[in-house]
Amino acid sequence: MSDAPLVTVNSLVKHFRLPGGWLSGKPRILQAVDDVSFDIFPGEVIGLVGESGCGKTTLGRCILRLEEPTSGLIIFDGFNLMAMRGKALRRLRQQIQIVFQNPLSSLSPRLKVFDIVAEPLRTHHQQHGKELITKIISLLEQVGLGHQHLDRFSHELSGGQCQRVAIARALALNPKLIILDEPTSALDVSVQAQIINLLDELQANMGLTYLFISHDLNVVQHISDRICVMYLGQLVETGPVELIFDMPLHPYSQALISAIQLPELGTKHKRIILQGSVPSPVNPPSGCRFHTRCPIAEERCHLQVPKLRSLREERFVACHLV
């Protein structure tokens, strides 16, 4: 693994302005991502976990610039993504690809598999003819499909086959980073395992770098090198996967880990039931955003925002009490 990060995200913020608020005279702002910083190193798999609505997908889309960040810095392979526009951004985007959650809706129903996978090659590399056909067949074989699938439409494929096509399309331009946004959550359980094993093999054989977004901790534990735990738009803990699953430090991480049963874990975690529901990102709590559900919160947790600080063994935790 390289010493220099492939991706550096620094103080990233993404707020959405919502309709309404005219009675109070103040705009309604949804704070989807708020002051997030982390690195991704070449050949690494980062698992980004948290409850639904915590900002995981928005963070991934900001890195790809599918969403324009409100503020902050994104450095990819030494280039400032935030400063790029037009052709320069288009060229760099070849190196960052995404696989979406719902494989069927992410594929055009009017295109055959050949044209779906060929589209990025035609657009960016201007490939045509026999060279293009050979490349497409090779890509399909890499993901477990064959030439018999070339002339099929997406509705003629199973969910797992559609996701394999989406992965082949993502691989077409030999990207350095692939953002996987809940790539298995819309699939049957048996098919999920096949897709995870495929992603694992591709990463090992091709040296790919993944940002793996998921709420399924069993999957994340299997595929990731490091984990970033997200709560209400902010990172609360990051670190190597083994250390976080064996000894989660942040109270929110402890609650997440306690909810799953993994025979690989050396210790057995007592089940922690969080009280209440996740606050609204339109009106997040003051101080630590987790204090309204935290079983060990103190007075300062209501008042002071904890910073993500370095502890031991590559661990970073945002908690006053750790």
Side-chain angles (χ1 to χ4, degrees):
M1 193 178 295
S2 172
D3 292 335
L6 176 64
V7 181
T8 295
V9 176
N10 188 14
S11 301
L12 187 69
V13 174
K14 176 58 181 177
H15 292 173
F16 294 94
R17 182 161 182 164
L18 302 179
W22 54 272
L23 286 176
S24 64
K26 296 180 180 179
R28 298 175 66 238
I29 304 297
L30 189 152
Q31 301 177 32
V33 178
D34 204 11
D35 195 20
V36 168
S37 301
F38 67 102
D39 294 325
I40 305 175
F41 291 88
E44 185 177 39
V45 180
I46 291 288
L48 182 60
V49 303
E51 293 170 280
S52 297
C54 70
K56 305 186 300 296
T57 293
T58 301
L59 176 56
R61 292 173 67 89
C62 284
I63 293 175
L64 194 58
R65 289 279 300 277
L66 291 177
E67 297 285 356
E68 283 297 324
T70 303
S71 64
L73 186 66
I74 303 172
I75 303 295
F76 176 79
D77 203 19
F79 295 93
N80 182 1
L81 269 177
M82 299 290 289
M84 288 192 163
R85 298 290 185 275
K87 292 182 179 179
L89 177 60
R90 182 181 173 186
R91 283 195 298 268
L92 198 62
R93 267 185 172 160
Q94 297 179 46
Q95 301 301 316
I96 312 174
Q97 296 295 310
I98 186 169
V99 176
F100 294 98
Q101 177 176 353
N102 191 324
L104 190 59
S105 65
S106 69
L107 304 179
S108 172
R110 291 176 288 191
L111 295 180
K112 294 182 178 180
V113 167
F114 178 87
D115 295 307
I116 290 172
V117 181
E119 189 173 18
L121 292 166
R122 288 168 172 162
T123 302
H124 293 282
H125 292 175
Q126 302 297 313
Q127 286 188 342
H128 299 280
K130 291 184 178 179
E131 180 186 8
L132 179 62
I133 296 173
T134 302
K135 177 69 173 177
I136 300 305
I137 293 176
S138 174
L139 285 167
L140 291 181
E141 289 175 346
Q142 280 183 284
V143 299
L145 299 176
H147 65 274
Q148 68 271 22
H149 298 98
L150 289 173
D151 291 327
R152 297 185 186 178
F153 292 96
S154 57
H155 69 268
E156 298 176 303
L157 303 175
S158 67
Q161 289 174 332
C162 283
Q163 197 62 297
R164 290 174 188 270
V165 172
I167 294 169
R169 179 177 60 183
L171 293 173
L173 298 175
N174 298 314
K176 294 182 178 179
L177 172 69
I178 298 182
I179 298 172
L180 300 160
D181 185 12
E182 303 270 13
T184 61
S185 63
L187 305 175
D188 294 337
V189 174
S190 60
V191 180
Q192 288 181 14
Q194 297 172 17
I195 297 299
I196 290 299
N197 289 335
L198 171 64
L199 292 170
D200 217 358
E201 291 173 8
L202 291 171
Q203 195 273 334
N205 296 334
M206 303 174 66
L208 296 170
T209 305
Y210 291 157
L211 175 62
F212 192 93
I213 301 170
S214 180
H215 64 271
D216 189 333
L217 293 179
N218 291 286
V219 171
V220 169
Q221 189 265 350
H222 171 76
I223 199 171
S224 303
D225 299 307
R226 285 193 298 131
I227 294 180
C228 296
V229 182
M230 198 167 186
Y231 182 81
L232 206 61
Q234 297 180 336
L235 295 185
V236 297
E237 183 170 0
T238 71
V241 59
E242 298 88 357
L243 293 178
I244 288 188
F245 274 83
D246 282 343
M247 191 189 306
L249 297 178
H250 193 281
Y252 179 62
S253 304
Q254 293 171 359
L256 287 182
I257 301 299
S258 76
I260 61 173
Q261 296 295 326
L262 291 175
E264 300 87 10
L265 296 182
T267 57
K268 188 175 182 179
H269 301 284
K270 183 180 177 181
R271 183 74 167 94
I272 301 172
I273 306 296
L274 295 178
Q275 302 300 315
S277 57
V278 181
S280 170
V282 178
N283 186 27
S286 60
C288 174
R289 294 190 173 181
F290 185 61
H291 82 258
T292 59
R293 305 174 72 196
C294 181
I296 61 171
E298 296 180 353
E299 183 62 29
R300 60 174 167 166
C301 302
H302 298 239
L303 305 174
Q304 301 173 11
V305 178
K307 297 295 183 181
L308 193 67
R309 54 194 173 88
S310 175
L311 294 179
R312 58 188 182 275
E313 301 174 299
E314 304 176 38
R315 305 289 291 276
F316 291 81
V317 181
C319 180
H320 297 304
L321 306 177
V322 174

